[in-house]
Amino acid sequence: MKEENALEFSRLNRLANNLFFEKDKAIEDVLALKSQIRNLEKTISEHKNEIAKLHERLKKQEFLEKSKEIQKESVKIVANKAKKSTDNVEIKKTIADLVQEIDACIALLNED
């Protein structure tokens, strides 16, 4: 009977050791997965920041294109006004004002 008890105890001891080993391995696996999650979250955050910067650049580019379009239309308007007007000083002042406004818009776009 003692021999049977010793064998049974030995078998239970092996089972317990296997369970502790599997538990430790599972803990290591969980820690590795948590580390991978942190790395992925960091990568996602970096990509989100990059996307936000690209959206901002796109907005600035669209604004710049609209400003150029406005500049072309302004030149056309001023040219038409020059044909109809006899006061060249007023036309030159209007052109200078428009150019200053366009330069200000471009300067705002170039700020980072």
Side-chain angles (χ1 to χ4, degrees):
M1 190 68 141
K2 285 187 178 187
E3 194 172 310
E4 282 180 20
N5 287 342
L7 288 174
E8 189 63 26
F9 178 76
S10 175
R11 188 177 73 80
L12 289 174
N13 195 28
R14 281 194 308 270
L15 287 174
N17 285 338
N18 284 342
L19 288 174
F20 285 127
F21 175 77
E22 289 180 23
K23 176 189 149 230
D24 290 341
K25 185 168 177 352
I27 289 172
E28 288 176 12
D29 291 345
V30 167
L31 291 175
L33 289 171
K34 284 183 179 181
S35 176
Q36 288 177 353
I37 288 171
R38 281 192 300 275
N39 290 337
L40 289 171
E41 286 173 341
K42 181 181 175 186
T43 302
I44 289 169
S45 176
E46 290 170 356
H47 287 321
K48 283 182 179 180
N49 289 338
E50 188 176 333
I51 288 170
K53 288 177 185 177
L54 289 172
H55 279 294
E56 189 61 32
R57 283 182 58 196
L58 181 62
K59 284 181 187 178
K60 286 182 179 183
Q61 185 64 31
E62 289 171 351
F63 181 76
L64 181 60
E65 289 172 7
K66 287 179 183 177
S67 293
K68 287 180 182 179
E69 198 174 303
I70 291 170
Q71 180 183 12
K72 289 177 185 178
E73 290 299 317
S74 298
V75 169
K76 288 178 186 177
I77 291 169
V78 171
N80 286 336
K81 189 175 180 181
K83 290 177 185 175
K84 296 175 184 177
S85 176
T86 58
D87 189 4
N88 285 334
V89 174
E90 182 181 325
I91 294 171
K92 288 180 182 178
K93 182 178 180 338
T94 304
I95 291 171
D97 291 343
L98 288 171
V99 169
Q100 286 178 346
E101 285 188 41
I102 292 167
D103 288 342
C105 290
I106 291 171
L108 286 173
L109 286 172
N110 290 329
E111 290 181 357
D112 282 318

